[in-house]
Structure formats: C-alpha cells, structure tokens
Amino acid sequence: MAPSYSSSNGGYGYSSSSSFQPKHRRSDSTSFLDDLRAFLALSSRSAWRFWRERGRFMAWAAMVNAGRRLRMNLTYNRLFSFPHLLVAAWIVVLLWGERWVFHSAVEECEWGKWERWPAGADPHHLVLVADPQLIDPHSYPGRPWPLNPLTMTIVDNYIRRSYTQMQSQLDPDTIFFLGDLFDGGREWKTAHGDFRDPEWGPHPKDEQKYLKSWNKKYNEIYWLKEYARFGEIFFSPWLEAGQKPENEHKRRKLIASLPGNHDLGFGAEIKLPVRNRFEAYFGEGNRVDVIGNHTFVSVDTVSMSAASLSEVARQDVQPIYKPTEHFINQVKWTKQKAMEKELRYLRGEVPEVKLHHRIEELNKANFKDQPRLVNDENNQKIPDLPTVLLTHVPLYRPPGTPCGPKREHWPPTPPPKGQTEPVIPDHRNAISVFRGYQYQNVLDEKQSISLIEKIGNVIHAFSGDDHDYCEVVHAPNQGSVREITVKSISMAMGVPTPGFQMVSLYNPLDPVTGKPLAGDGQPTIQTHLCLLPNQISTYLHYVGLGIFCVILLAIRAFLVPVLNLPRFALDLDSDSHPSGISILPVFKAKQEDYDEYTLPSAGYSASSSKYSGSSGGTSGERRMTRTGSVSSSLRKTSPRNGEKGSSGRSRKSSVYSNSNKSTKGWSWAGGKHHHHHEPRIEIPGENEEDLYYGGATSLMGSSKWKAKQSRKKPKPKTAMGVVVTELWTTVWRVAWMVVGVFGWLAWKG
C-alpha cells in the first residue's frame, strides 16, 4: 500500500502519520556487546573479502618481490661488497665491546698476579660486590617507555657479563654483597603490614607525584619479580660454577643478606614490613661467619642508625634499631660460638653439641647441665680470630679525610711543591659527611666507636653506599681500623669505571688449639681492586667507528660515478627484467602481417567487397605501408578535430589500394582466399588510447589496436643523484645490520 501524501507544502512530501520507517535505522534496544559483535563480524567479512580479492595477490607479490631481492643480494659480488666488509668489521668490534673486553678486564685480576703469600700457601678467595642497585622504575621515573626498558637491559647485561666472567675466571670461594641490591626495593608495596610513610619522613616533592602510581603498579608481586631478576643475574652463574668438578668439595658461600638504604630505607624512615620481606628472602642482616679462618661480622647499620637520630626523642623507633642493638651487645659470644663450630669441623667432629640421652620427669628435669658450645670452661680457651667488619654505610671520619689515589671520580688534590704527604683536609677527594632523605653518607661518630669496641679485634672493614673507591685508616679511638669502601659493580652509578673488591685470606690454624701457625704479627689478608670496562669509553669507540664508516661510504659514493664502480643500490626498473622482455607479450604474430585484413569500420561487414582483402602486393610492401604511412598519420593527425589531411589520404590509399581487386569474402580461419592469415594483438600507446576507446575512428575508418612496443624508460640519474642514492643505501645497509647484531647480543645477554 502506498503511503499517504500530505496536502501541506503544496501536496509534496509524506505526512506525519505515514507508516514509512527507514529500513536500516539502528535499534535503540541493542547493547554495546551486540554492536561490538556486529562490528567484529563485519570487519572479519571485510578482511576475508579483501584477502580473496586482492590481499592474497598482494601477499604473493610481496613474497615474490622479497625473494627476488634476496636472490639479487646473495650474489658473490654483492656479499663481498665494501658495505658488507664494514659490517664484518663492526661485528668484530661489537664482539670486543660486548664480550671480549669483559674477559680481558677480569683476566688482569687473576689471583696469582697480585697475591704475595709464602710458597705452597692455599688462601681462601673472597669477592665483595657492592651496590648492584638494579635499575627499575624508581631509578628514572621521568623517562619514557622505550628508554627505561632499554636502560635496564643494557645495565643488566653489563652486570651479568662482568659477574659471569668473575665466576668463570676467578672462581671465588665466597661472595659477599654489601647492600643496595635493588634501586627501588623500599618503594614497592608489601603484601602485609602498614606501608604508609611515617609522619617524620615523607617522600620528597619530586617523588610524591609518583607515589600513587607506584603503590598501584609496583607491589609485592613486582618485588618478587625483581628478586627473580636478581637471582637470574647473580645466583644462576654461582650455581653453575659450583657444578664444576673442581668445586665439588669446596666450602663455597654466597651471602647477600646485608641490606642497604635502597633496600630498606634509612634510620627511622625504615618500614618494618619492608625489612621483614627482605630478611625473609635474603636472610638476617646481622650475622657472623667464619670464612678463611677470619671472622666476618655483618651489621645492619641502616637500621642501627635509627637509634642516633633526633626522632628517637619524639617517636618510638625501637622496633627498628633494637634487633641490631641486641646483636651487637651479644656479638662477642656469637663470635666464640661460630669459632667453636669451625674448630669442630676442622677436627672432623660434629659442629653442634651432643645432648644427653636420658629420660627424665618433666617436673624433675635439670636444664642447667645442658651441653653448650660456649661455656665457662672453654670460654677462655676459644681463640679470637682476626675480625672483618662488613657494613653498608661507611664508618665515621672527619670531614675532608682523603680517600686516596684510587678514587676515580675526584682524584686527590695535588700537594704543594715540596710536600710529600697528601693534602688534608681534601674535601674534593673525600666522602662528604652529609645526610638526606633515606640516606646518610657516614655513620654517627659515637656509633662508629661503639661498634668497633663491642665487636673487638677488628683488623679491617669493608663498606659500600658511596659507589666509588675510598681507602682510609681511622683514628685510634676507632681502633685504627683500615676501611675500604668498595666500588659499585654497576655502570649506572655515576662512576665511569665500575669494579669489585678481591680479598685473599691466609691464616692457617692448629685445629686442636685454634692458634695461628704462621705466628703473630703476620698479615693474614690481602686486597685488590678489580676494575671493569669503562662503558662510556666503549660507546665512544662505537661512535668513532660509526663516523669513520660514514666518511668511507661517502668517499665510495663519490667515486662510483667517477670511476664507474659497480653500484650497490639496486635499480629495480632496469634489473626487474634484464632481458628487456615484459611479463605479458606486447607483440604476437600468428603467421604474417595482416594489414589487408584490417577490420572495417562500423556499418560494414567482414564480407563486404569494398574492404575485402587482396592477394596483390608483397608482404614487404604491406609492412612498409603499415610502419610508414599509418604510423606517421597517427602521429600527425588528430581525429578529435575531424580533419583529414593528405597524410590520411595517403595512408588510406596505400592500405586499401588493392581492395577492389577481389569481391570474395575473407575469413580469419580458412576462407576461400589463397592467403590464410591469423590476426595479431596490438596494445595502444598512452597517447593513443582516447583515439580508439573514445568512440572515434582512425583515419582509415576502422577501429585498430596500436602496439605499445616497450615500457617507458626512466630518466637517467645525474652524477649527484647516483652519489646520494649510493650513500643513503650503503649507510642504511650497514646501520640496520649493525643494530641487528647489537640487538642480538643484547638479547643473548
């Protein structure tokens, strides 16, 4: 039924009461999921239609083109071309900078090159690693996405390569980490406990804008991933080295329980849930170990420092520093207990004491006669081994105390002429006595003195935190202890040349009495600073080689047109069909030329006697007529203007000069004519298509195809164009291949 029309507007248009509804109007009842499902269905159908119609052909053409390019690039002359020789040189340089330089640096630190022990000595080899401080989102919070992961990968690879070479070449018996294992370990939210900042220690203003996103993105799960990352870098090579046959019976240890301020925080700003998490996975920060007949005492000084701060008077921070305080008060007894266990092991006895095997009533049991490792009887008999103090924060020293010539970032100030002693104070070469948010460069003076006294017999101390090397001998009130602040092993800690500290221990003991066999006063510890590659210097080598390669490629590009050297850039226009033959044929003669069989114009049939073929004339004459008169007339005459010049008449007369000699019909496939010819297909040129496709007729009155004999040749490049093309092509080829090799080396670690 037709819709009704309204009388308004002159009787035109549909009335408002019409029942007409748009056919494809969107229904308001459809949900978002229905729309999404419809959109996905439409997109999939469109993609499938595109694939069937054009996509598969485009993919096949791309594959064929890629295969052709690959085949052209795998020729002998191209494989051994000058740009590829530069790539080979780059591969050697990259292997040096990313692999071999680490081997060479660690090789210079072999134990036998600097140890000075008596002949036949078997020292215990120990390595101290400080401040790996694995890069994480806390390190550079303002960097965009591509740079931060790239920085993490490069720094991790540097640490991994250095540490792996240390394990494979030096094969240390013991490794101690001196804290700051992570950079943002204290910032990642714990699964349990109160993670809020204390009122007296809020984040600085430049970090407060990141707190919300940190607490949301980086939680307990992220910290566990960082722990696994740390284990992959440090624990895995250690375990692999332990599987060597020569290490089966060694007493190897790796101790990473000493925390740093980046792991926990500092002083009263430490959060107990963060410390509990760290100790749950790495162990107690306060511990005593007997290694190489020396007693190593590790002290959690970042927690201990809470007792010396002004917040103690205003806040209850005892849960932070009390465990360390209790450990220090009992450390001498702990040392004796560890020493007794070591002597029992050396004598071949069970390290632990044996309990009495007897049955007693619980209410009558005597607990006073339980056997103990350290009691009143053997307390005086247990010798005190040379003690080494391990702390993350360096001990106190007066401001301006010089660190010595091995401090890289700020070398010592040259002394005045005639002075042989170092300049004191030398604030430029010293560790600054300073405190800030979550850090303090040195311990409090009173705490340093108390720590040395309570531990007792401290002959050496090692610390971290500063990232650069520093060696000092403390004042007599601190026991004149020699302390070495160990360099960071990471390349991202502001010191150009990272490193680690090697310690050789030799203190032979009598296993029965525990007394040293070498005699009193003999040195039992030797140290050596092992320097790792300067990564900035390595990258400068890369930059220098890159500039040199660009200069060489520019010289070659200028010489290509001058000396007519082989071009590296592929000329696809000329090389796609080297024989000059196109993919589809543009000329195919069945038997002979067939100008006499030209199709008649509209209104005439093939059997018309006026345009019938004739046997008169030779084929050579016909070819001359076609190539001469017809071609020239097409070039000189424009059918659009309806003009017929003399050339047109000449052409028509020459082509059809014998047309009246025969009244017989002709055919393509076996007429009665004595010449049986076949047609050939001719393709019109670019400037002639409108002559035949626009409805016009040629001067001879017939529709005829004109052959396009060859592809349009590109214009030859100028000398400067050749130079630019060669320079760009060769630089790009070397660049992407070098970047690919570097990426592969970075991916392999």
Side-chain angles (χ1 to χ4, degrees):
M1 178 177 178
S4 59
Y5 289 91
S6 172
S7 60
S8 61
N9 298 327
Y12 294 98
Y14 292 100
S15 66
S16 59
S17 61
S18 172
S19 61
F20 176 80
Q21 295 292 336
K23 185 177 181 180
H24 299 289
R25 190 175 68 180
R26 180 182 180 273
S27 176
D28 295 335
S29 61
T30 58
S31 64
F32 172 76
L33 293 179
D34 295 335
D35 293 343
L36 180 61
R37 191 181 298 109
F39 173 76
L40 294 177
L42 179 62
S43 300
S44 60
R45 287 194 299 268
S46 300
W48 175 245
R49 187 183 305 111
F50 174 78
W51 171 256
R52 288 188 306 169
E53 295 176 356
R54 296 184 58 190
R56 53 180 178 172
F57 300 108
M58 294 173 64
W60 174 253
M63 292 175 60
V64 171
N65 188 40
R68 181 164 55 86
R69 284 175 174 269
L70 180 63
R71 185 174 65 253
M72 297 172 67
N73 278 285
L74 291 180
T75 60
Y76 177 84
N77 293 334
R78 193 166 181 82
L79 286 176
F80 293 93
S81 59
F82 183 72
H84 290 164
L85 294 179
L86 292 181
V87 173
W90 263 105
I91 293 176
V92 175
V93 173
L94 288 176
L95 288 174
W96 166 80
E98 305 299 318
R99 293 291 189 273
W100 301 336
V101 69
F102 294 92
H103 183 278
S104 302
V106 176
E107 189 179 27
E108 294 296 322
C109 303
E110 290 183 356
W111 303 97
K113 293 184 177 181
W114 55 270
E115 287 179 321
R116 297 295 181 265
W117 298 119
D122 185 19
H124 186 96
H125 294 152
L126 182 145
V127 169
L128 297 169
V129 178
D131 303 284
Q133 214 162 315
L134 299 184
I135 300 298
D136 52 35
H138 174 265
S139 306
Y140 309 102
R143 287 191 178 182
W145 164 75
L147 294 180
N148 230 6
L150 181 62
T151 304
M152 294 170 62
T153 301
I154 292 176
V155 176
D156 283 4
N157 285 339
Y158 182 93
I159 298 175
R160 182 185 294 107
R161 293 163 186 170
S162 303
Y163 185 80
T164 303
Q165 289 298 326
M166 180 246 287
Q167 289 289 345
S168 61
Q169 295 193 65
L170 303 181
D171 192 19
D173 302 314
T174 303
I175 294 181
F176 270 104
F177 287 83
L178 298 180
D180 274 0
L181 310 184
F182 309 105
D183 187 63
R186 65 176 184 241
E187 304 294 344
W188 312 142
K189 190 176 181 180
T190 57
H192 307 284
D194 188 6
F195 194 73
R196 293 175 299 178
D197 288 343
E199 297 178 358
W200 58 87
H203 278 76
K205 292 182 179 180
D206 58 340
E207 290 187 1
Q208 287 182 0
K209 57 183 178 181
Y210 302 108
L211 287 181
K212 187 175 181 180
S213 62
W214 285 352
N215 293 336
K216 184 178 180 180
K217 296 180 181 179
Y218 310 115
N219 48 21
E220 184 86 2
I221 297 177
Y222 183 82
W223 189 92
L224 291 176
K225 292 180 180 178
E226 292 294 282
Y227 175 77
R229 175 183 164 203
F230 181 90
E232 188 271 332
I233 295 176
F234 294 107
F235 295 160
S236 298
W238 169 263
L239 295 175
E240 292 176 2
Q243 296 176 358
K244 296 179 180 178
E246 59 270 20
N247 291 334
E248 289 183 356
H249 303 289
K250 276 188 176 183
R251 301 176 64 189
R252 303 173 73 246
K253 288 185 178 181
L254 187 150
I255 302 171
S257 60
L258 187 66
N261 58 303
H262 281 266
D263 302 316
L264 307 184
F266 188 84
E269 297 165 354
I270 291 177
K271 301 171 184 176
L272 292 180
V274 174
R275 188 175 70 183
N276 295 337
R277 178 178 61 188
F278 184 88
E279 292 181 347
Y281 286 90
F282 288 101
E284 293 285 341
N286 302 302
R287 59 182 295 156
V288 175
D289 298 276
V290 177
I291 298 174
N293 297 335
H294 290 72
T295 303
F296 283 77
V297 179
S298 303
V299 181
D300 178 10
T301 51
V302 293
S303 298
M304 182 190 71
S305 299
S308 65
L309 301 177
S310 59
E311 287 80 8
V312 175
R314 297 184 286 111
Q315 302 292 338
D316 184 13
V317 293
Q318 289 189 8
I320 297 177
Y321 69 84
K322 271 296 182 181
T324 304
E325 186 179 89
H326 177 74
F327 169 79
I328 295 173
N329 292 333
Q330 301 291 328
V331 69
K332 288 187 177 181
W333 176 83
T334 308
K335 287 170 58 180
Q336 290 179 336
K337 182 179 177 181
M339 180 57 192
E340 181 63 22
K341 287 184 177 182
E342 183 69 17
L343 292 177
R344 284 171 174 263
Y345 176 84
L346 295 177
R347 292 194 296 263
E349 302 176 4
V350 179
E352 299 293 339
V353 296
K354 295 181 180 180
L355 299 176
H356 301 299
H357 293 271
R358 62 192 180 191
I359 301 175
E360 295 180 324
E361 294 291 338
L362 183 60
N363 56 354
K364 298 179 181 180
N366 184 9
F367 296 99
K368 295 182 179 180
D369 63 343
Q370 289 184 359
R372 292 180 174 84
L373 284 174
V374 181
N375 49 45
D376 296 337
E377 296 179 0
N378 64 357
N379 186 15
Q380 302 298 327
K381 298 180 181 180
I382 300 176
D384 190 10
L385 296 177
T387 302
V388 178
L389 171 63
L390 301 181
T391 169
H392 176 71
V393 184
L395 298 173
Y396 176 81
R397 73 283 313 275
T401 303
C403 289
K406 293 183 180 180
R407 187 169 179 82
E408 178 185 10
H409 198 64
W410 298 110
T413 301
K417 184 178 293 186
Q419 179 178 336
T420 57
E421 298 294 328
V423 176
I424 301 177
D426 189 358
H427 297 281
R428 184 170 176 266
N429 183 245
I431 295 178
S432 60
V433 181
F434 188 76
R435 181 193 172 198
Y437 171 74
Q438 293 282 28
Y439 76 92
Q440 184 172 303
N441 291 340
V442 297
L443 293 175
D444 181 75
E445 183 177 8
K446 292 182 179 180
Q447 282 190 327
S448 298
I449 296 173
S450 174
L451 186 62
I452 297 297
E453 290 179 352
K454 291 182 178 181
I455 294 176
N457 196 26
V458 179
I459 64 170
H460 217 297
F462 294 95
S463 59
D465 187 67
D466 186 67
H467 302 165
D468 203 353
Y469 186 89
C470 183
E471 184 173 359
V472 298
V473 177
H474 290 284
N477 61 349
Q478 291 181 234
S480 300
V481 174
R482 180 179 295 274
E483 179 185 2
I484 293 179
T485 301
V486 182
K487 271 198 169 197
S488 172
I489 196 174
S490 174
M491 58 170 280
M493 295 297 108
V495 179
T497 309
F500 55 85
Q501 196 70 28
M502 303 172 64
V503 181
S504 181
L505 306 170
Y506 182 66
N507 184 30
L509 298 177
D510 182 358
V512 178
T513 62
K515 294 182 179 180
L517 300 177
D520 296 335
Q522 296 295 326
T524 61
I525 182 171
Q526 296 179 9
T527 63
H528 177 75
L529 172 62
C530 184
L531 296 177
L532 296 173
N534 187 328
Q535 197 67 13
I536 297 178
S537 176
T538 302
Y539 289 153
L540 288 178
H541 281 83
Y542 293 166
V543 173
L545 180 59
I547 296 174
F548 181 68
C549 288
V550 172
I551 294 175
L552 291 181
L553 293 175
I555 295 175
R556 178 195 173 277
F558 277 103
L559 293 179
V560 166
V562 175
L563 302 180
N564 199 21
L565 299 177
R567 298 183 184 180
F568 186 81
L570 295 177
D571 192 352
L572 298 179
D573 292 332
S574 61
D575 294 339
S576 58
H577 308 292
S579 61
I581 302 174
S582 60
I583 297 177
L584 296 176
V586 296
F587 179 86
K588 177 63 178 176
K590 295 295 183 179
Q591 292 182 5
E592 294 181 1
D593 289 37
Y594 59 96
D595 283 20
E596 67 273 25
Y597 298 133
T598 303
L599 293 176
S601 59
Y604 295 90
S605 65
S607 61
S608 173
S609 60
K610 183 177 180 179
Y611 296 100
S612 296
S614 172
S615 61
T618 64
S619 62
E621 293 174 352
R622 287 193 296 272
R623 279 192 294 270
M624 183 180 298
T625 303
R626 179 178 181 274
T627 58
S629 301
V630 176
S631 300
S632 61
S633 63
L634 287 175
R635 286 193 298 266
K636 298 179 181 179
T637 308
S638 175
R640 297 176 182 176
N641 299 330
E643 297 178 358
K644 294 181 181 181
S646 59
S647 60
R649 290 189 298 271
S650 173
R651 178 188 181 281
K652 185 174 182 180
S653 61
S654 63
V655 174
Y656 304 111
S657 57
N658 297 324
S659 61
N660 57 351
K661 293 182 182 181
S662 176
T663 59
K664 303 292 184 180
W666 63 275
S667 69
W668 284 356
K672 295 180 180 181
H673 199 278
H674 63 277
H675 288 290
H676 303 288
H677 299 291
E678 299 287 335
R680 74 178 178 185
I681 300 173
E682 297 186 8
I683 303 174
E686 294 180 356
N687 56 349
E688 301 169 3
E689 291 184 358
D690 55 352
L691 177 63
Y692 303 111
Y693 289 106
T697 56
S698 63
L699 296 178
M700 57 182 146
S702 64
S703 241
K704 182 180 171 108
W705 293 82
K706 176 63 180 175
K708 184 178 181 181
Q709 298 295 337
S710 62
R711 299 174 61 188
K712 186 177 180 180
K713 295 183 179 180
K715 295 181 180 180
K717 292 182 178 179
T718 62
M720 184 54 65
V722 172
V723 170
V724 173
T725 303
E726 284 294 307
L727 180 60
W728 161 250
T729 305
T730 53
V731 169
W732 170 245
R733 172 60 62 91
V734 174
W736 74 258
M737 295 185 76
V738 169
V739 172
V741 174
F742 180 83
W744 183 81
L745 292 174
W747 177 72
K748 294 293 289 184

